[in-house]
Amino acid sequence: MAVRITRRLGDPPRKRGSLTSETCPDIFELTDGSFAVIGTEATTALDPHLPPDAARADYERIVVITRETLIRAKKDIPDV
């Protein structure tokens, strides 16, 4: 079975003030327990600044979400 989105974490973009389809960072929980993030692609800009103990595979991308997106999602992120 393919992995699917089970729920959004935090408020939808419209509730965070996005009235267009241009600024819609989002965080989703997936059926396998992983999380998917919609954000601004920033791999080229941030890759050279990763700390020495961080790594990124060729198929991975660095994306940026707003602080507000993550803070509003906090209530929905399970504690360990």
Side-chain angles (χ1 to χ4, degrees), residues 2-52:
V3 176
R4 299 198 181 274
I5 293 172
T6 59
R7 67 184 180 122
R8 169 183 278 118
L9 279 68
D11 297 325
R14 191 168 289 283
K15 192 170 180 182
R16 287 183 272 117
S18 176
L19 302 177
T20 68
S21 296
E22 296 176 15
T23 56
C24 302
D26 229 329
I27 304 171
F28 300 97
E29 186 170 359
L30 306 178
T31 53
D32 69 356
S34 297
F35 296 91
V37 177
I38 297 173
T40 302
E41 209 286 329
T43 305
T44 301
L46 295 177
D47 199 50
H49 304 288
L50 287 173

